[in-house]
Amino acid sequence: MSGAAKLSLGPVLFNWSPERWRDFYLRMADEAPVDVVHVGEVVCSKRQPFFDKVIPEVVERLTAAGKQVVLSSLALVMTERERDGIRALTGEETGFLVEANDYSAAAALKGRPHVVGPLVNVYNEGTLAYLARNGAVRVCLPPELSAATIGCLAGQGLTEIEVQAFGRLPLAISARCYHARSRNLHKDGCQYVCGEDPDGMVVDTMDGKPFLAVNGTQTMSYHYANLLGELTALRDLGVAHFRLSPHACDMVAVARLFRAVLDGGRSAEEAAAPLEDLLPDAEFANGYVHGREGHRMVQGESLPSGIL
Amino acid sequence: MSAENVELVCPAGTPAALKAAVDAGADCVYVGFRDETNARNFPGLNFSRPELADGIAYAHERGTKVLVAINTFPRAGQPEIWRKAVDDAARLKADAVILADVGLCDYAHRAHPELRLHLSVQASASSAEAIRFYHQAFGIQRAVLPRVLTVPEIAALCGQVPIEMEVFVFGGLCVMAEGRCSLSSYATGQSPNMNGVCSPASHVRYVEKGDKVVSQLGGFTINTFRSGESAGYPTLCKGRFEANGRLSYLFEEPTSLNTLSLLPDLIAAGVTAFKIEGRQRGRAYVGNVVTAFRRAVDAIRRGETPPAIDLDAITEGNRQTSGAYERSWR
Amino acid sequence: MVTHRADQPPRPVDPPFSPVLLAGLALAPVPPRLLQPLFDAILSVVRRRHPDILDRLSAYPDAVVGIDPVDLPFTLVLEPIPGQPRLTVCRDFDDLRPTAVIRGPLRMLFDLCEGRIDGDAAFFSRQLVIEGDTEVVLALRNAVDGAGIDLEGDFAATVGPLAAPLRRAARMGGWLFERMSRDMALVRSAIVGPALRGADAQSARISELETELAEMRRSLRHRERRA
């Protein structure tokens, strides 16, 4: 498996305008060296209708460009409308893989090949084995896992294992919209204020230290995950896919850097500075894979080379 | 479901709290082993195997059930710790185990087909399809609903699933969908899912600054309290933060869920069991809250309006909310 | 501003102006070591009747927990060393470097021991202050709460020369204590009210400065980004 690691583009998690969203995917189809592209609204069902009209064009262009398209499902399913959405996504065979981000989608996909997303709790081999029997062919692991756990799961050989390697980490999902709350609004009358922050709304502590980022009902890390330095070690542990989570920065350039490191064209050290140049405002973190606090940037420590 | 068979499910972090809950009229007491297998893995808390055996004997003699929460997600490569917890709960004649992890549900269902399984709130099953999945796959007989649904949504759900529904009626309130939150490990490296702790005490510091107390978690300032201002534990989602140029309780105020007035609606919605949060709280809390809810449920059974009972003194921030049960909370 | 309002308890680190404080003043000239036998006796009662407390603390064999009844002129240090725990009475913690400290009025500490009040609630209302390693404090709180202590019953079960004074002390309180508490609250507000107003003004100034500092940090960050 090592040497053949693939790059995947996660679903756009932010509320971008349908035009921006469409243009982003079309450019990725044409230029980005990624193998898999996820499409679909994961965070808030209120945003979904805006993208429905542009999804067919995006999916067609991505497919034509040779990308494997995966349709991502909503993370928190509560209302009748949201349940209908899951039924529509998982109901008929469309020829596209679906990524289940909760168990209502995973249950509906039983017996068919599908992907399990990072918002489903896969922490151990027992759960992984069950999901594999259920039809999962690839599982993107939750963000808080250490390399030891990742290695143990990848070593099972039950499904392909994917890990997010770039972008703000999805840390929590809620029924409450914090973007609306920050403007004294409720979710029902939210005025789609989440659209004002293409990379999420930064949340500072009381003493001015940036800490988290809010994306509607989702809470994300302030720090951008950056596993450039861990890519090859994780690949050697059996990780088959690395996920780049879309941001407003030049994602084609980001993908090229990660691709170059995976291909051995550049070392992780050589790619570090260009990545920082692409995101001058960002702070990076890799703490979770090192078994540390998620916000930490650990340098000069190698990951375990074998499995647990 | 009618008020006749609704169960009051009460927390116990220690044998003394278990006795307090049983004596105050709990129908069920839920507990955990003293290790990382449950989501209240707090220092000095929970039950050894002999303590659980004694606790179950005490409860069963008085007609009270004991449920054992094994609701963290087993660590990869070390499933034995969690499987042994399930085995021991079954051996000690617990009335049910409360599970969150799919792999562990699968194990419990196969290894102990006679053991009653409840789905923990940490599994965050928020739709009829998700709940039916756990029922069909593992024979789950009751699901604890995540604190994300409104009363009408719960009513609709109860009509669509073939198993019992349990909801939280009092205590600490997760504002994120339970079991789907890594804020704690982001700041401290330890999370509810992996370690059974949220905002762990080992990473908490209270720093006195002049007349203020600053609460920090993993080095991040979570809140500041002035003299006389009610303090809160520095749980990340109950802190004060600045966003959009404004300092506020962005996620939630330090507050406790209290649904005393909503109990009749929840019973009408078809809920089978009322859960009180607080295994980490003392026996004084357990005694007070269980007594209050026992009186309320008994009043509803007699066809009366539940009495207004003042529980302010034991709530976080001395504030109460009906949480996600009201749509405006969102 | 007067100190006592129902919703605004006095600062917990201030000794409450209470009957305990008076008793404490009377005790002030007594060297702490003379009180040590009393606490040896208490610890032996705990070890005999509530072995589970020390069992629950076994994960913290090196902890040094300071217990500060703020209205008494001495403090206690608990070291839950398995097999040979120590409860030492001393004037203050100066050279002991405790892992954690719990401060509160004696009456509240007793109530906590007996599980009559909820530790979280006492903390939320700021009547109890903790410093240092919060985990150790939480472990102690949970261990003590879980033991089901009943001071009067525990002391009643005590035999030997200290039994009678312990029982008397346990019964002390009641009407006399409540009455004295009310009178002393009145005296307190008259004496310390003006001093607290000065302290409030200073705190307000500190708070202003802190806000300014946070603002400066933020603008510095934005400037760094632009640069």
Side-chain angles (χ1 to χ4, degrees):
Chain A
M1 205 177 285
S2 103
K6 292 181 174 170
L7 279 185
S8 76
L9 187 71
V12 172
L13 295 173
F14 305 103
N15 185 17
W16 293 355
S17 71
E19 299 72 34
R20 178 184 192 149
W21 190 89
R22 168 185 167 275
D23 292 349
F24 168 78
Y25 276 115
L26 297 189
R27 176 161 181 246
M28 295 306 284
D30 295 340
E31 301 176 41
V34 296
D35 308 282
V36 180
V37 178
H38 296 78
V39 177
E41 179 56 45
V42 170
V43 175
C44 179
S45 61
K46 288 186 68 180
R47 302 171 181 171
Q48 216 152 357
F50 299 104
F51 302 106
D52 282 347
K53 54 183 182 291
V54 284
I55 282 182
E57 181 192 358
V58 161
V59 167
E60 193 189 316
R61 275 280 284 280
L62 287 165
T63 310
K67 314 291 187 197
Q68 182 189 52
V69 173
V70 179
L71 304 174
S72 294
S73 78
L74 191 68
L76 183 58
V77 180
M78 300 181 294
T79 65
E80 282 303 317
R81 197 158 50 89
E82 289 161 354
R83 293 170 62 210
D84 288 344
I86 295 292
R87 275 191 285 271
L89 185 67
T90 58
E92 58 188 272
E93 193 51 66
T94 57
F96 295 108
L97 278 177
V98 172
E99 175 182 81
N101 280 308
D102 90 324
Y103 273 104
S104 59
L109 293 164
K110 182 185 168 102
R112 279 184 282 161
H114 60 273
V115 176
V116 171
L119 301 167
V120 173
N121 285 333
V122 182
Y123 282 83
N124 52 64
E125 58 276 37
T127 299
L128 186 66
Y130 185 88
L131 291 173
R133 291 202 298 277
N134 194 57
V137 293
R138 187 187 311 143
V139 174
C140 184
L141 297 176
E144 66 177 9
L145 299 184
S146 68
T149 295
I150 294 169
C152 177
L153 295 176
Q156 305 290 314
L158 293 166
T159 69
E160 289 185 324
I161 293 294
E162 178 171 349
V163 168
Q164 181 177 332
F166 174 82
R168 287 191 161 145
L169 295 166
L171 296 179
I173 188 86
S174 175
R176 176 179 260 185
C177 178
Y178 307 116
H179 240 113
R181 189 169 151 86
S182 77
R183 269 86 165 166
N184 288 324
L185 300 170
H186 291 292
K187 189 177 168 188
D188 278 343
C190 69
Q191 300 172 23
Y192 298 93
V193 289
C194 54
E196 294 171 21
D197 298 297
D199 286 314
M201 171 178 67
V202 172
V203 177
D204 286 347
T205 65
M206 291 177 86
D207 38 13
K209 195 160 150 186
F211 181 32
L212 300 167
V214 157
N215 171 31
T217 56
Q218 183 176 52
T219 304
M220 311 181 80
S221 60
Y222 167 77
H223 296 75
Y224 285 61
N226 171 3
L227 301 187
L228 270 180
E230 290 75 16
L231 282 183
T232 52
L234 289 171
R235 181 190 58 195
D236 294 346
L237 287 173
V239 175
H241 286 248
F242 292 98
R243 177 173 297 212
L244 312 176
S245 191
H247 278 278
C249 62
D250 183 351
M251 286 300 294
V252 169
V254 170
R256 285 184 181 144
L257 285 172
F258 278 80
R259 187 72 262 165
V261 172
L262 277 177
D263 290 345
R266 280 194 203 222
S267 70
E269 295 73 31
E270 285 166 348
L275 187 68
E276 280 170 29
D277 292 343
L278 286 171
L279 293 117
D281 292 351
E283 288 179 46
F284 294 123
N286 61 5
Y288 278 133
V289 294
H290 288 273
R292 303 281 303 278
E293 302 92 328
H295 69 88
R296 293 251 180 237
M297 187 69 197
V298 178
Q299 270 158 337
E301 255 177 51
S302 57
L303 290 178
S305 52
I307 62 163
L308 194 73
Chain B
M1 193 52 56
S2 72
E4 283 310 312
N5 6 29
V6 76
E7 281 186 353
L8 210 47
V9 183
C10 307
T14 62
L18 179 141
K19 289 192 174 73
V22 171
D23 296 349
D27 297 303
C28 304
V29 179
Y30 67 103
V31 300
F33 288 120
R34 199 183 303 164
D35 58 29
E36 63 207 313
T37 60
N38 75 91
R40 288 283 184 273
N41 177 25
F42 293 1
L45 206 66
N46 291 322
F47 289 68
S48 65
R49 265 63 173 177
E51 282 172 349
L52 181 60
D54 292 348
I56 288 176
Y58 185 88
H60 283 179
E61 279 163 22
R62 289 157 185 80
T64 305
K65 296 175 192 162
V66 176
L67 318 177
V68 180
I70 307 168
N71 57 348
T72 49
F73 292 80
R75 197 163 38 251
Q78 292 163 293
E80 306 80 22
I81 304 167
W82 280 262
R83 290 179 176 183
K84 183 157 190 318
V86 172
D87 297 344
D88 288 345
R91 177 175 56 80
L92 296 169
K93 302 275 185 285
D95 296 279
V97 290
I98 309 171
L99 308 178
D101 180 61
V102 160
L104 197 63
C105 287
D106 190 32
Y107 170 78
H109 180 51
R110 285 186 286 110
H112 303 282
E114 76 297 342
L115 181 61
R116 189 176 155 92
L117 308 185
H118 290 187
L119 188 65
S120 169
V121 69
Q122 296 300 113
S124 204
S126 56
S127 69
E129 287 75 15
I131 292 167
R132 283 200 293 260
F133 159 75
Y134 286 99
H135 171 62
Q136 285 160 7
F138 315 116
I140 294 278
Q141 293 181 58
R142 177 187 293 179
V144 186
L145 294 178
R147 282 161 280 193
V148 297
L149 302 169
T150 62
V151 175
E153 282 166 0
I154 291 170
L157 192 57
C158 287
Q160 293 164 343
V161 294
I163 63 170
E164 300 167 5
M165 296 287 109
E166 179 172 314
V167 299
F168 277 92
V169 291
F170 191 86
L173 174 89
C174 273
V175 292
M176 310 301 179
E178 292 92 339
R180 310 183 76 179
C181 177
S182 304
L183 292 188
S184 176
S185 61
Y186 184 66
T188 72
Q190 294 182 27
S191 73
N193 286 359
M194 295 190 294
N195 313 93
V197 288
C198 176
S199 310
S202 50
H203 290 68
V204 169
R205 286 290 179 274
Y206 292 101
V207 184
E208 298 266 350
K209 279 191 184 171
D211 73 328
K212 293 188 301 187
V213 177
V214 177
S215 62
Q216 296 179 337
L217 183 76
F220 292 101
T221 293
I222 304 303
N223 211 339
T224 298
F225 305 96
R226 303 200 150 278
S227 171
E229 198 178 0
S230 284
Y233 186 85
T235 309
L236 274 172
C237 55
K238 315 281 170 50
R240 255 184 285 205
F241 299 103
E242 195 189 301
N244 191 35
R246 202 163 64 98
L247 187 67
S248 71
Y249 287 104
L250 178 63
F251 302 105
E252 180 63 291
E253 285 86 10
T255 183
S256 290
L257 176 70
N258 185 0
T259 61
L260 268 173
S261 60
L262 287 178
L263 296 185
D265 298 343
L266 289 167
I267 290 172
V271 167
T272 313
F274 291 151
K275 181 164 223 154
I276 293 165
E277 185 274 350
R279 282 195 283 134
Q280 75 286 11
R281 302 291 293 266
R283 61 196 148 110
Y285 165 96
V286 170
N288 285 337
V289 181
V290 176
T291 301
F293 276 83
R294 181 78 273 159
R295 278 174 59 200
V297 170
D298 289 347
I300 297 168
R301 279 185 184 164
R302 291 191 302 268
E304 300 163 13
T305 323
I309 303 168
D310 181 15
L311 290 168
D312 253 1
I314 47 177
T315 57
E316 189 172 351
N318 302 128
R319 249 191 290 213
Q320 307 183 27
T321 172
S322 50
Y325 296 126
E326 315 251 18
R327 194 172 174 89
S328 58
W329 180 85
R330 290 177 180 170
Chain C
M1 186 198 109
V2 186
T3 51
H4 268 103
R5 281 206 347 239
D7 58 334
Q8 267 197 359
R11 289 208 58 217
V13 281
D14 298 332
F17 201 60
S18 72
V20 178
L21 183 67
L22 277 195
L25 292 176
L27 278 174
V30 180
R33 64 187 160 76
L34 292 185
L35 296 168
Q36 187 59 45
L38 177 68
F39 290 96
D40 288 343
I42 290 175
L43 186 63
S44 78
V45 171
V46 169
R47 290 186 69 181
R48 197 174 62 250
R49 289 180 56 93
H50 303 290
D52 46 327
I53 293 186
L54 292 159
D55 184 39
R56 282 175 188 273
L57 289 172
S58 58
Y60 310 93
D62 305 323
V64 179
V65 186
I67 301 163
D68 181 5
V70 291
D71 39 6
L72 287 179
F74 60 84
T75 58
L76 296 168
V77 172
L78 173 68
E79 293 164 276
I81 308 159
Q84 43 178 337
R86 283 203 295 254
L87 184 63
T88 316
V89 58
C90 49
R91 193 61 81 195
D92 49 48
F93 304 130
D94 275 356
D95 15 294
L96 286 160
R97 297 182 175 274
T99 329
V101 177
I102 308 168
R103 295 184 204 278
L106 184 69
R107 193 116 197 263
M108 168 166 285
L109 296 176
F110 275 151
D111 286 348
L112 273 176
C113 280
E114 294 198 293
R116 268 186 278 127
I117 57 167
D118 178 49
D120 283 2
F123 173 72
F124 293 151
S125 67
R126 302 278 300 279
Q127 292 167 288
L128 188 74
V129 166
I130 59 180
E131 293 160 23
D133 189 334
T134 315
E135 180 171 344
V136 170
V137 176
L138 204 57
L140 177 63
R141 196 285 302 265
N142 288 333
V144 169
D145 192 89
I149 289 176
D150 159 25
L151 288 174
E152 208 164 331
D154 286 339
F155 290 152
T158 309
V159 287
L162 284 166
L166 276 176
R167 274 198 291 275
R168 263 202 303 282
R171 278 198 302 270
M172 193 194 90
W175 178 83
L176 186 64
F177 186 94
E178 293 303 332
R179 175 64 200 274
M180 285 177 77
S181 301
R182 278 202 303 278
D183 293 350
M184 291 172 73
L186 198 66
V187 178
R188 173 195 163 87
S189 60
I191 297 172
V192 299
L196 288 174
R197 272 196 294 277
D200 272 2
Q202 277 193 340
S203 304
R205 180 65 191 136
I206 291 174
S207 159
E208 266 175 45
L209 290 171
E210 282 182 346
T211 311
E212 273 177 43
L213 185 66
E215 281 302 318
M216 284 165 69
R217 273 192 200 157
R218 247 171 242 130
S219 79
L220 193 65
R221 211 171 71 231
H222 291 304
R223 206 167 305 162
E224 276 172 357
R225 280 180 189 176
R226 278 196 298 273

